[in-house]
Amino acid sequence: AQSVTQLDSHVSVSEGTPVLLRCNYSSSYSPSLFWYVQHPNKGLQLLLKYTSAATLVKGINGFEAEFKKSETSFHLTKPSAHMSDAAEYFCVVNLDRGSTLGRLYFGRGTQLTVWP
Amino acid sequence: KAGVTQTPRYLIKTRGQQVTLSCSPISGHRSVSWYQQTPGQGLQFLFEYFSETQRNKGNFPGRFSGRQFSNSRSEMNVSTLELGDSALYLCASSLRSGGASGEQFFGPGTRLTVL
């Protein structure tokens, strides 16, 4: 069963325009949710995380995401794209929250292209 | 603090061989997880070690194994390599088992190519 679905495999935006990367999850309770970014030939970097505190989560580099339980969504947004934002973004869920396990389930990724 | 380091960064092997990859977690982190990243399957969880014990295992065949040492460094081994094992293998460390907050810090990965 798919635990996390990223709705777009590719997103292209112009520099200075808003970014929206969509993510839906499937879980019977509120899991821990994350967005990671992967630049070419680099490891994954945590952008932000949701762990049941505020539903609007602010991350690094101007990114933020809103947890919407009713829609089982955790979309990533940024008001103004920068060329350096071009990378692959992964929506990630930890369904084992509350236990001693820690498997992260990754979405298939969204490749963000930023045009000058 | 130094980040997660993985060695080697690149490996080329032939079918049937075995390979060992190494991961050194961030100082003080006791949990190490391994992931396989391929274009076809995306990122998949392999296993997690905490205090030298395997705590969790993904859905991979027994050819994939790992271990963790007392200094938290971890190795993963793949025996009888197949072409489909070509992938980027990522290691991640966290403070606690599974990182109850879920936050894991990733290394740059080892790119394994099987010919």
PDB file of all heavy atoms in Angstrom, chain A residues 32 34 36 38 41 43-44 46 49 51 90 94 96 100-104 106 108, chain B residues 35 37 39-43 45 48 55-56 90 97-98 101-104 106-107:
ATOM      1  N   SER A  32       4.240  11.292  11.511  1.00  0.00           N
ATOM      2  CA  SER A  32       5.264  12.325  11.346  1.00  0.00           C
ATOM      3  C   SER A  32       5.525  12.476   9.853  1.00  0.00           C
ATOM      4  O   SER A  32       5.661  11.486   9.143  1.00  0.00           O
ATOM      5  CB  SER A  32       6.555  11.925  12.064  1.00  0.00           C
ATOM      6  OG  SER A  32       6.359  11.875  13.444  1.00  0.00           O
ATOM      7  N   PHE A  34       7.619  14.702   6.653  1.00  0.00           N
ATOM      8  CA  PHE A  34       8.825  15.463   6.365  1.00  0.00           C
ATOM      9  C   PHE A  34       8.899  15.782   4.877  1.00  0.00           C
ATOM     10  O   PHE A  34       8.318  15.088   4.043  1.00  0.00           O
ATOM     11  CB  PHE A  34      10.084  14.649   6.724  1.00  0.00           C
ATOM     12  CG  PHE A  34      10.022  13.979   8.059  1.00  0.00           C
ATOM     13  CD1 PHE A  34       9.384  12.753   8.197  1.00  0.00           C
ATOM     14  CD2 PHE A  34      10.570  14.566   9.175  1.00  0.00           C
ATOM     15  CE1 PHE A  34       9.302  12.128   9.437  1.00  0.00           C
ATOM     16  CE2 PHE A  34      10.493  13.954  10.409  1.00  0.00           C
ATOM     17  CZ  PHE A  34       9.857  12.735  10.538  1.00  0.00           C
ATOM     18  N   TYR A  36      12.199  16.321   2.328  1.00  0.00           N
ATOM     19  CA  TYR A  36      13.632  16.311   2.133  1.00  0.00           C
ATOM     20  C   TYR A  36      13.934  16.807   0.723  1.00  0.00           C
ATOM     21  O   TYR A  36      13.141  16.620  -0.198  1.00  0.00           O
ATOM     22  CB  TYR A  36      14.206  14.893   2.288  1.00  0.00           C
ATOM     23  CG  TYR A  36      14.420  14.432   3.710  1.00  0.00           C
ATOM     24  CD1 TYR A  36      13.374  13.879   4.448  1.00  0.00           C
ATOM     25  CD2 TYR A  36      15.678  14.518   4.303  1.00  0.00           C
ATOM     26  CE1 TYR A  36      13.585  13.432   5.748  1.00  0.00           C
ATOM     27  CE2 TYR A  36      15.890  14.068   5.602  1.00  0.00           C
ATOM     28  CZ  TYR A  36      14.841  13.531   6.311  1.00  0.00           C
ATOM     29  OH  TYR A  36      15.047  13.091   7.596  1.00  0.00           O
ATOM     30  N   GLN A  38      17.001  16.790  -2.363  1.00  0.00           N
ATOM     31  CA  GLN A  38      18.226  16.139  -2.825  1.00  0.00           C
ATOM     32  C   GLN A  38      18.766  16.888  -4.033  1.00  0.00           C
ATOM     33  O   GLN A  38      18.153  16.873  -5.102  1.00  0.00           O
ATOM     34  CB  GLN A  38      17.972  14.673  -3.176  1.00  0.00           C
ATOM     35  CG  GLN A  38      19.230  13.889  -3.499  1.00  0.00           C
ATOM     36  CD  GLN A  38      18.924  12.415  -3.753  1.00  0.00           C
ATOM     37  OE1 GLN A  38      17.880  12.069  -4.291  1.00  0.00           O
ATOM     38  NE2 GLN A  38      19.836  11.537  -3.357  1.00  0.00           N
ATOM     39  N   ASN A  41      24.109  14.715  -6.869  1.00  0.00           N
ATOM     40  CA  ASN A  41      25.346  14.208  -6.267  1.00  0.00           C
ATOM     41  C   ASN A  41      25.512  14.619  -4.805  1.00  0.00           C
ATOM     42  O   ASN A  41      26.639  14.682  -4.300  1.00  0.00           O
ATOM     43  CB  ASN A  41      26.566  14.669  -7.070  1.00  0.00           C
ATOM     44  CG  ASN A  41      26.523  14.147  -8.496  1.00  0.00           C
ATOM     45  OD1 ASN A  41      26.198  12.982  -8.731  1.00  0.00           O
ATOM     46  ND2 ASN A  41      26.809  15.003  -9.435  1.00  0.00           N
ATOM     47  N   GLY A  43      23.670  14.279  -0.683  1.00  0.00           N
ATOM     48  CA  GLY A  43      22.741  13.517   0.143  1.00  0.00           C
ATOM     49  C   GLY A  43      21.447  14.264   0.362  1.00  0.00           C
ATOM     50  O   GLY A  43      21.274  15.397  -0.062  1.00  0.00           O
ATOM     51  N   LEU A  44      20.529  13.613   1.033  1.00  0.00           N
ATOM     52  CA  LEU A  44      19.234  14.212   1.332  1.00  0.00           C
ATOM     53  C   LEU A  44      19.372  15.185   2.491  1.00  0.00           C
ATOM     54  O   LEU A  44      20.037  14.901   3.484  1.00  0.00           O
ATOM     55  CB  LEU A  44      18.239  13.120   1.703  1.00  0.00           C
ATOM     56  CG  LEU A  44      17.824  12.228   0.543  1.00  0.00           C
ATOM     57  CD1 LEU A  44      17.412  10.855   1.054  1.00  0.00           C
ATOM     58  CD2 LEU A  44      16.690  12.861  -0.220  1.00  0.00           C
ATOM     59  N   LEU A  46      17.111  17.620   5.189  1.00  0.00           N
ATOM     60  CA  LEU A  46      15.789  17.863   5.740  1.00  0.00           C
ATOM     61  C   LEU A  46      15.400  19.327   5.531  1.00  0.00           C
ATOM     62  O   LEU A  46      16.130  20.232   5.910  1.00  0.00           O
ATOM     63  CB  LEU A  46      15.775  17.535   7.225  1.00  0.00           C
ATOM     64  CG  LEU A  46      14.447  17.758   7.944  1.00  0.00           C
ATOM     65  CD1 LEU A  46      13.402  16.764   7.451  1.00  0.00           C
ATOM     66  CD2 LEU A  46      14.628  17.629   9.453  1.00  0.00           C
ATOM     67  N   LYS A  49       9.753  19.472   9.075  1.00  0.00           N
ATOM     68  CA  LYS A  49       9.075  18.291   9.598  1.00  0.00           C
ATOM     69  C   LYS A  49       7.830  18.683  10.369  1.00  0.00           C
ATOM     70  O   LYS A  49       7.760  19.753  10.974  1.00  0.00           O
ATOM     71  CB  LYS A  49      10.005  17.487  10.503  1.00  0.00           C
ATOM     72  CG  LYS A  49      10.447  18.229  11.766  1.00  0.00           C
ATOM     73  CD  LYS A  49      11.366  17.351  12.600  1.00  0.00           C
ATOM     74  CE  LYS A  49      11.812  18.090  13.863  1.00  0.00           C
ATOM     75  NZ  LYS A  49      12.732  17.264  14.685  1.00  0.00           N
ATOM     76  N   THR A  51       5.380  17.173  13.382  1.00  0.00           N
ATOM     77  CA  THR A  51       5.264  16.129  14.401  1.00  0.00           C
ATOM     78  C   THR A  51       4.162  16.459  15.389  1.00  0.00           C
ATOM     79  O   THR A  51       4.307  16.273  16.583  1.00  0.00           O
ATOM     80  CB  THR A  51       6.593  15.942  15.152  1.00  0.00           C
ATOM     81  OG1 THR A  51       7.000  17.217  15.677  1.00  0.00           O
ATOM     82  CG2 THR A  51       7.668  15.400  14.249  1.00  0.00           C
ATOM     83  N   PHE A  90      11.446  15.209  -1.835  1.00  0.00           N
ATOM     84  CA  PHE A  90      10.791  13.988  -1.388  1.00  0.00           C
ATOM     85  C   PHE A  90       9.891  14.271  -0.194  1.00  0.00           C
ATOM     86  O   PHE A  90      10.336  14.870   0.797  1.00  0.00           O
ATOM     87  CB  PHE A  90      11.822  12.927  -0.994  1.00  0.00           C
ATOM     88  CG  PHE A  90      12.636  12.413  -2.137  1.00  0.00           C
ATOM     89  CD1 PHE A  90      13.849  13.003  -2.463  1.00  0.00           C
ATOM     90  CD2 PHE A  90      12.181  11.336  -2.896  1.00  0.00           C
ATOM     91  CE1 PHE A  90      14.603  12.534  -3.526  1.00  0.00           C
ATOM     92  CE2 PHE A  90      12.927  10.855  -3.955  1.00  0.00           C
ATOM     93  CZ  PHE A  90      14.133  11.454  -4.273  1.00  0.00           C
ATOM     94  N   ASN A  94       6.842   8.900   8.457  1.00  0.00           N
ATOM     95  CA  ASN A  94       7.274   7.904   9.429  1.00  0.00           C
ATOM     96  C   ASN A  94       6.018   7.345  10.076  1.00  0.00           C
ATOM     97  O   ASN A  94       5.402   8.003  10.908  1.00  0.00           O
ATOM     98  CB  ASN A  94       8.190   8.532  10.471  1.00  0.00           C
ATOM     99  CG  ASN A  94       8.707   7.518  11.470  1.00  0.00           C
ATOM    100  OD1 ASN A  94       8.193   6.404  11.558  1.00  0.00           O
ATOM    101  ND2 ASN A  94       9.711   7.890  12.224  1.00  0.00           N
ATOM    102  N   ASP A  96       5.862   4.774  11.922  1.00  0.00           N
ATOM    103  CA  ASP A  96       6.149   4.043  13.157  1.00  0.00           C
ATOM    104  C   ASP A  96       6.253   4.975  14.354  1.00  0.00           C
ATOM    105  O   ASP A  96       6.793   4.601  15.370  1.00  0.00           O
ATOM    106  CB  ASP A  96       7.450   3.266  12.996  1.00  0.00           C
ATOM    107  CG  ASP A  96       7.352   2.285  11.852  1.00  0.00           C
ATOM    108  OD1 ASP A  96       6.324   1.601  11.759  1.00  0.00           O
ATOM    109  OD2 ASP A  96       8.304   2.220  11.058  1.00  0.00           O
ATOM    110  N   THR A 100       9.455   2.138  18.673  1.00  0.00           N
ATOM    111  CA  THR A 100      10.908   2.258  18.600  1.00  0.00           C
ATOM    112  C   THR A 100      11.426   2.056  17.190  1.00  0.00           C
ATOM    113  O   THR A 100      12.615   2.059  16.963  1.00  0.00           O
ATOM    114  CB  THR A 100      11.574   1.223  19.531  1.00  0.00           C
ATOM    115  OG1 THR A 100      11.151  -0.077  19.135  1.00  0.00           O
ATOM    116  CG2 THR A 100      11.219   1.475  20.974  1.00  0.00           C
ATOM    117  N   LEU A 101      10.494   1.890  16.268  1.00  0.00           N
ATOM    118  CA  LEU A 101      10.926   1.685  14.893  1.00  0.00           C
ATOM    119  C   LEU A 101      11.015   3.019  14.183  1.00  0.00           C
ATOM    120  O   LEU A 101      10.439   4.002  14.612  1.00  0.00           O
ATOM    121  CB  LEU A 101       9.935   0.762  14.172  1.00  0.00           C
ATOM    122  CG  LEU A 101       9.708  -0.593  14.835  1.00  0.00           C
ATOM    123  CD1 LEU A 101       8.680  -1.384  14.072  1.00  0.00           C
ATOM    124  CD2 LEU A 101      11.012  -1.349  14.938  1.00  0.00           C
ATOM    125  N   GLY A 102      11.717   3.045  13.107  1.00  0.00           N
ATOM    126  CA  GLY A 102      11.888   4.338  12.452  1.00  0.00           C
ATOM    127  C   GLY A 102      12.010   4.264  10.961  1.00  0.00           C
ATOM    128  O   GLY A 102      12.814   4.962  10.377  1.00  0.00           O
ATOM    129  N   ARG A 103      11.197   3.429  10.341  1.00  0.00           N
ATOM    130  CA  ARG A 103      11.260   3.368   8.893  1.00  0.00           C
ATOM    131  C   ARG A 103      10.672   4.640   8.304  1.00  0.00           C
ATOM    132  O   ARG A 103       9.589   5.064   8.686  1.00  0.00           O
ATOM    133  CB  ARG A 103      10.465   2.179   8.370  1.00  0.00           C
ATOM    134  CG  ARG A 103      11.090   0.836   8.632  1.00  0.00           C
ATOM    135  CD  ARG A 103      10.109  -0.271   8.376  1.00  0.00           C
ATOM    136  NE  ARG A 103       8.998  -0.209   9.301  1.00  0.00           N
ATOM    137  CZ  ARG A 103       8.063  -1.151   9.376  1.00  0.00           C
ATOM    138  NH1 ARG A 103       8.105  -2.183   8.564  1.00  0.00           N
ATOM    139  NH2 ARG A 103       7.085  -1.030  10.244  1.00  0.00           N
ATOM    140  N   LEU A 104      11.399   5.209   7.385  1.00  0.00           N
ATOM    141  CA  LEU A 104      10.883   6.336   6.618  1.00  0.00           C
ATOM    142  C   LEU A 104      10.380   5.805   5.293  1.00  0.00           C
ATOM    143  O   LEU A 104      11.051   5.029   4.623  1.00  0.00           O
ATOM    144  CB  LEU A 104      11.971   7.381   6.382  1.00  0.00           C
ATOM    145  CG  LEU A 104      12.553   8.073   7.609  1.00  0.00           C
ATOM    146  CD1 LEU A 104      13.568   9.128   7.190  1.00  0.00           C
ATOM    147  CD2 LEU A 104      11.459   8.703   8.459  1.00  0.00           C
ATOM    148  N   PHE A 106       9.308   6.919   1.615  1.00  0.00           N
ATOM    149  CA  PHE A 106       9.534   8.041   0.706  1.00  0.00           C
ATOM    150  C   PHE A 106       8.530   8.044  -0.434  1.00  0.00           C
ATOM    151  O   PHE A 106       8.199   6.992  -0.984  1.00  0.00           O
ATOM    152  CB  PHE A 106      10.944   7.950   0.109  1.00  0.00           C
ATOM    153  CG  PHE A 106      12.031   8.335   1.057  1.00  0.00           C
ATOM    154  CD1 PHE A 106      12.463   7.456   2.040  1.00  0.00           C
ATOM    155  CD2 PHE A 106      12.635   9.578   0.965  1.00  0.00           C
ATOM    156  CE1 PHE A 106      13.473   7.805   2.921  1.00  0.00           C
ATOM    157  CE2 PHE A 106      13.650   9.939   1.834  1.00  0.00           C
ATOM    158  CZ  PHE A 106      14.064   9.054   2.811  1.00  0.00           C
ATOM    159  N   ARG A 108       7.799   9.183  -4.424  1.00  0.00           N
ATOM    160  CA  ARG A 108       8.636   8.929  -5.589  1.00  0.00           C
ATOM    161  C   ARG A 108       9.457  10.133  -6.010  1.00  0.00           C
ATOM    162  O   ARG A 108      10.296  10.047  -6.904  1.00  0.00           O
ATOM    163  CB  ARG A 108       7.791   8.427  -6.761  1.00  0.00           C
ATOM    164  CG  ARG A 108       7.131   7.073  -6.502  1.00  0.00           C
ATOM    165  CD  ARG A 108       8.127   6.009  -6.097  1.00  0.00           C
ATOM    166  NE  ARG A 108       9.128   5.769  -7.129  1.00  0.00           N
ATOM    167  CZ  ARG A 108       9.001   4.857  -8.069  1.00  0.00           C
ATOM    168  NH1 ARG A 108       7.945   4.093  -8.120  1.00  0.00           N
ATOM    169  NH2 ARG A 108       9.960   4.714  -8.973  1.00  0.00           N
TER     170      ARG A 108
ATOM    171  N   TYR B  35      19.274   2.871   3.102  1.00  0.00           N
ATOM    172  CA  TYR B  35      18.241   2.970   2.075  1.00  0.00           C
ATOM    173  C   TYR B  35      18.863   2.710   0.716  1.00  0.00           C
ATOM    174  O   TYR B  35      20.022   3.024   0.470  1.00  0.00           O
ATOM    175  CB  TYR B  35      17.608   4.372   2.068  1.00  0.00           C
ATOM    176  CG  TYR B  35      16.874   4.720   3.331  1.00  0.00           C
ATOM    177  CD1 TYR B  35      17.552   5.237   4.430  1.00  0.00           C
ATOM    178  CD2 TYR B  35      15.499   4.529   3.435  1.00  0.00           C
ATOM    179  CE1 TYR B  35      16.881   5.549   5.604  1.00  0.00           C
ATOM    180  CE2 TYR B  35      14.815   4.851   4.600  1.00  0.00           C
ATOM    181  CZ  TYR B  35      15.522   5.355   5.674  1.00  0.00           C
ATOM    182  OH  TYR B  35      14.851   5.677   6.837  1.00  0.00           O
ATOM    183  N   GLN B  37      18.351   3.595  -3.323  1.00  0.00           N
ATOM    184  CA  GLN B  37      17.664   4.504  -4.241  1.00  0.00           C
ATOM    185  C   GLN B  37      17.929   4.098  -5.673  1.00  0.00           C
ATOM    186  O   GLN B  37      19.075   4.072  -6.119  1.00  0.00           O
ATOM    187  CB  GLN B  37      18.106   5.954  -4.016  1.00  0.00           C
ATOM    188  CG  GLN B  37      17.329   6.962  -4.856  1.00  0.00           C
ATOM    189  CD  GLN B  37      17.718   8.406  -4.571  1.00  0.00           C
ATOM    190  OE1 GLN B  37      18.809   8.688  -4.065  1.00  0.00           O
ATOM    191  NE2 GLN B  37      16.826   9.339  -4.877  1.00  0.00           N
ATOM    192  N   PRO B  39      16.163   4.452  -9.871  1.00  0.00           N
ATOM    193  CA  PRO B  39      15.166   5.192 -10.675  1.00  0.00           C
ATOM    194  C   PRO B  39      13.824   4.468 -10.723  1.00  0.00           C
ATOM    195  O   PRO B  39      12.781   5.099 -10.747  1.00  0.00           O
ATOM    196  CB  PRO B  39      15.817   5.260 -12.063  1.00  0.00           C
ATOM    197  CG  PRO B  39      17.274   5.106 -11.810  1.00  0.00           C
ATOM    198  CD  PRO B  39      17.380   4.178 -10.639  1.00  0.00           C
ATOM    199  N   GLY B  40      13.869   3.157 -10.722  1.00  0.00           N
ATOM    200  CA  GLY B  40      12.623   2.405 -10.866  1.00  0.00           C
ATOM    201  C   GLY B  40      11.813   2.287  -9.592  1.00  0.00           C
ATOM    202  O   GLY B  40      10.586   2.388  -9.612  1.00  0.00           O
ATOM    203  N   GLN B  41      12.479   2.074  -8.485  1.00  0.00           N
ATOM    204  CA  GLN B  41      11.789   1.836  -7.209  1.00  0.00           C
ATOM    205  C   GLN B  41      11.846   3.021  -6.255  1.00  0.00           C
ATOM    206  O   GLN B  41      11.196   2.987  -5.202  1.00  0.00           O
ATOM    207  CB  GLN B  41      12.387   0.606  -6.518  1.00  0.00           C
ATOM    208  CG  GLN B  41      12.261  -0.674  -7.324  1.00  0.00           C
ATOM    209  CD  GLN B  41      10.823  -1.047  -7.556  1.00  0.00           C
ATOM    210  OE1 GLN B  41       9.979  -0.923  -6.669  1.00  0.00           O
ATOM    211  NE2 GLN B  41      10.503  -1.468  -8.764  1.00  0.00           N
ATOM    212  N   GLY B  42      12.616   4.032  -6.587  1.00  0.00           N
ATOM    213  CA  GLY B  42      12.726   5.172  -5.679  1.00  0.00           C
ATOM    214  C   GLY B  42      13.568   4.814  -4.469  1.00  0.00           C
ATOM    215  O   GLY B  42      14.455   3.974  -4.539  1.00  0.00           O
ATOM    216  N   LEU B  43      13.254   5.450  -3.355  1.00  0.00           N
ATOM    217  CA  LEU B  43      13.999   5.231  -2.115  1.00  0.00           C
ATOM    218  C   LEU B  43      13.290   4.189  -1.268  1.00  0.00           C
ATOM    219  O   LEU B  43      12.129   4.342  -0.914  1.00  0.00           O
ATOM    220  CB  LEU B  43      14.081   6.536  -1.316  1.00  0.00           C
ATOM    221  CG  LEU B  43      15.258   7.424  -1.639  1.00  0.00           C
ATOM    222  CD1 LEU B  43      14.925   8.879  -1.427  1.00  0.00           C
ATOM    223  CD2 LEU B  43      16.439   7.023  -0.764  1.00  0.00           C
ATOM    224  N   PHE B  45      13.616   1.528   2.189  1.00  0.00           N
ATOM    225  CA  PHE B  45      14.276   1.235   3.442  1.00  0.00           C
ATOM    226  C   PHE B  45      14.852  -0.173   3.427  1.00  0.00           C
ATOM    227  O   PHE B  45      14.164  -1.137   3.056  1.00  0.00           O
ATOM    228  CB  PHE B  45      13.252   1.382   4.572  1.00  0.00           C
ATOM    229  CG  PHE B  45      13.714   0.914   5.915  1.00  0.00           C
ATOM    230  CD1 PHE B  45      14.533   1.723   6.695  1.00  0.00           C
ATOM    231  CD2 PHE B  45      13.336  -0.319   6.404  1.00  0.00           C
ATOM    232  CE1 PHE B  45      14.955   1.302   7.948  1.00  0.00           C
ATOM    233  CE2 PHE B  45      13.750  -0.752   7.654  1.00  0.00           C
ATOM    234  CZ  PHE B  45      14.558   0.069   8.428  1.00  0.00           C
ATOM    235  N   GLU B  48      17.657  -0.945   9.818  1.00  0.00           N
ATOM    236  CA  GLU B  48      18.069   0.027  10.823  1.00  0.00           C
ATOM    237  C   GLU B  48      18.792  -0.696  11.943  1.00  0.00           C
ATOM    238  O   GLU B  48      18.370  -1.777  12.375  1.00  0.00           O
ATOM    239  CB  GLU B  48      16.865   0.766  11.403  1.00  0.00           C
ATOM    240  CG  GLU B  48      17.261   1.795  12.459  1.00  0.00           C
ATOM    241  CD  GLU B  48      16.150   2.120  13.426  1.00  0.00           C
ATOM    242  OE1 GLU B  48      15.071   1.494  13.353  1.00  0.00           O
ATOM    243  OE2 GLU B  48      16.352   2.992  14.280  1.00  0.00           O
ATOM    244  N   ARG B  55      17.157  -3.380  14.355  1.00  0.00           N
ATOM    245  CA  ARG B  55      15.854  -3.106  14.943  1.00  0.00           C
ATOM    246  C   ARG B  55      14.715  -3.287  13.959  1.00  0.00           C
ATOM    247  O   ARG B  55      13.571  -3.495  14.355  1.00  0.00           O
ATOM    248  CB  ARG B  55      15.820  -1.668  15.484  1.00  0.00           C
ATOM    249  CG  ARG B  55      16.833  -1.368  16.557  1.00  0.00           C
ATOM    250  CD  ARG B  55      16.644  -2.245  17.780  1.00  0.00           C
ATOM    251  NE  ARG B  55      15.354  -2.039  18.410  1.00  0.00           N
ATOM    252  CZ  ARG B  55      15.114  -1.121  19.327  1.00  0.00           C
ATOM    253  NH1 ARG B  55      16.073  -0.318  19.713  1.00  0.00           N
ATOM    254  NH2 ARG B  55      13.915  -1.005  19.855  1.00  0.00           N
ATOM    255  N   ASN B  56      15.045  -3.166  12.694  1.00  0.00           N
ATOM    256  CA  ASN B  56      13.982  -3.188  11.700  1.00  0.00           C
ATOM    257  C   ASN B  56      14.583  -3.544  10.352  1.00  0.00           C
ATOM    258  O   ASN B  56      15.748  -3.227  10.094  1.00  0.00           O
ATOM    259  CB  ASN B  56      13.328  -1.810  11.630  1.00  0.00           C
ATOM    260  CG  ASN B  56      11.940  -1.872  11.050  1.00  0.00           C
ATOM    261  OD1 ASN B  56      11.460  -2.935  10.675  1.00  0.00           O
ATOM    262  ND2 ASN B  56      11.287  -0.738  10.982  1.00  0.00           N
ATOM    263  N   LEU B  90      22.152   4.853   0.465  1.00  0.00           N
ATOM    264  CA  LEU B  90      22.229   5.973   1.396  1.00  0.00           C
ATOM    265  C   LEU B  90      22.187   5.478   2.828  1.00  0.00           C
ATOM    266  O   LEU B  90      21.426   4.577   3.172  1.00  0.00           O
ATOM    267  CB  LEU B  90      21.058   6.933   1.166  1.00  0.00           C
ATOM    268  CG  LEU B  90      21.079   7.691  -0.159  1.00  0.00           C
ATOM    269  CD1 LEU B  90      19.718   8.298  -0.446  1.00  0.00           C
ATOM    270  CD2 LEU B  90      22.133   8.783  -0.122  1.00  0.00           C
ATOM    271  N   SER B  97      16.827   5.377  18.341  1.00  0.00           N
ATOM    272  CA  SER B  97      16.375   4.338  17.438  1.00  0.00           C
ATOM    273  C   SER B  97      15.181   4.840  16.652  1.00  0.00           C
ATOM    274  O   SER B  97      14.182   5.254  17.229  1.00  0.00           O
ATOM    275  CB  SER B  97      15.977   3.084  18.219  1.00  0.00           C
ATOM    276  OG  SER B  97      15.452   2.111  17.339  1.00  0.00           O
ATOM    277  N   GLY B  98      15.325   4.828  15.366  1.00  0.00           N
ATOM    278  CA  GLY B  98      14.255   5.290  14.508  1.00  0.00           C
ATOM    279  C   GLY B  98      14.106   6.778  14.542  1.00  0.00           C
ATOM    280  O   GLY B  98      13.400   7.349  13.739  1.00  0.00           O
ATOM    281  N   SER B 101      11.479  11.490  16.468  1.00  0.00           N
ATOM    282  CA  SER B 101      11.023  12.675  15.745  1.00  0.00           C
ATOM    283  C   SER B 101      11.123  12.427  14.254  1.00  0.00           C
ATOM    284  O   SER B 101      10.661  13.225  13.460  1.00  0.00           O
ATOM    285  CB  SER B 101      11.890  13.875  16.110  1.00  0.00           C
ATOM    286  OG  SER B 101      13.195  13.717  15.562  1.00  0.00           O
ATOM    287  N   GLY B 102      11.724  11.311  13.909  1.00  0.00           N
ATOM    288  CA  GLY B 102      11.850  10.949  12.511  1.00  0.00           C
ATOM    289  C   GLY B 102      12.982  11.619  11.791  1.00  0.00           C
ATOM    290  O   GLY B 102      13.212  11.352  10.629  1.00  0.00           O
ATOM    291  N   GLU B 103      13.692  12.503  12.476  1.00  0.00           N
ATOM    292  CA  GLU B 103      14.713  13.251  11.762  1.00  0.00           C
ATOM    293  C   GLU B 103      15.966  12.407  11.600  1.00  0.00           C
ATOM    294  O   GLU B 103      16.576  12.001  12.588  1.00  0.00           O
ATOM    295  CB  GLU B 103      15.055  14.551  12.491  1.00  0.00           C
ATOM    296  CG  GLU B 103      16.065  15.404  11.730  1.00  0.00           C
ATOM    297  CD  GLU B 103      16.151  16.812  12.267  1.00  0.00           C
ATOM    298  OE1 GLU B 103      15.398  17.136  13.211  1.00  0.00           O
ATOM    299  OE2 GLU B 103      16.968  17.588  11.751  1.00  0.00           O
ATOM    300  N   GLN B 104      16.300  12.133  10.389  1.00  0.00           N
ATOM    301  CA  GLN B 104      17.494  11.380  10.077  1.00  0.00           C
ATOM    302  C   GLN B 104      18.396  12.232   9.199  1.00  0.00           C
ATOM    303  O   GLN B 104      17.929  12.965   8.343  1.00  0.00           O
ATOM    304  CB  GLN B 104      17.125  10.064   9.380  1.00  0.00           C
ATOM    305  CG  GLN B 104      16.267   9.156  10.255  1.00  0.00           C
ATOM    306  CD  GLN B 104      15.945   7.823   9.621  1.00  0.00           C
ATOM    307  OE1 GLN B 104      16.535   7.433   8.628  1.00  0.00           O
ATOM    308  NE2 GLN B 104      15.003   7.110  10.207  1.00  0.00           N
ATOM    309  N   PHE B 106      21.329  12.315   6.460  1.00  0.00           N
ATOM    310  CA  PHE B 106      21.800  11.426   5.410  1.00  0.00           C
ATOM    311  C   PHE B 106      23.225  11.738   4.972  1.00  0.00           C
ATOM    312  O   PHE B 106      23.649  12.895   4.919  1.00  0.00           O
ATOM    313  CB  PHE B 106      20.881  11.526   4.188  1.00  0.00           C
ATOM    314  CG  PHE B 106      19.568  10.831   4.377  1.00  0.00           C
ATOM    315  CD1 PHE B 106      18.532  11.446   5.078  1.00  0.00           C
ATOM    316  CD2 PHE B 106      19.366   9.549   3.882  1.00  0.00           C
ATOM    317  CE1 PHE B 106      17.320  10.803   5.267  1.00  0.00           C
ATOM    318  CE2 PHE B 106      18.159   8.892   4.065  1.00  0.00           C
ATOM    319  CZ  PHE B 106      17.136   9.522   4.755  1.00  0.00           C
ATOM    320  N   GLY B 107      23.935  10.666   4.610  1.00  0.00           N
ATOM    321  CA  GLY B 107      25.233  10.799   3.986  1.00  0.00           C
ATOM    322  C   GLY B 107      25.073  11.017   2.489  1.00  0.00           C
ATOM    323  O   GLY B 107      23.961  10.984   1.966  1.00  0.00           O
TER     324      GLY B 107
END
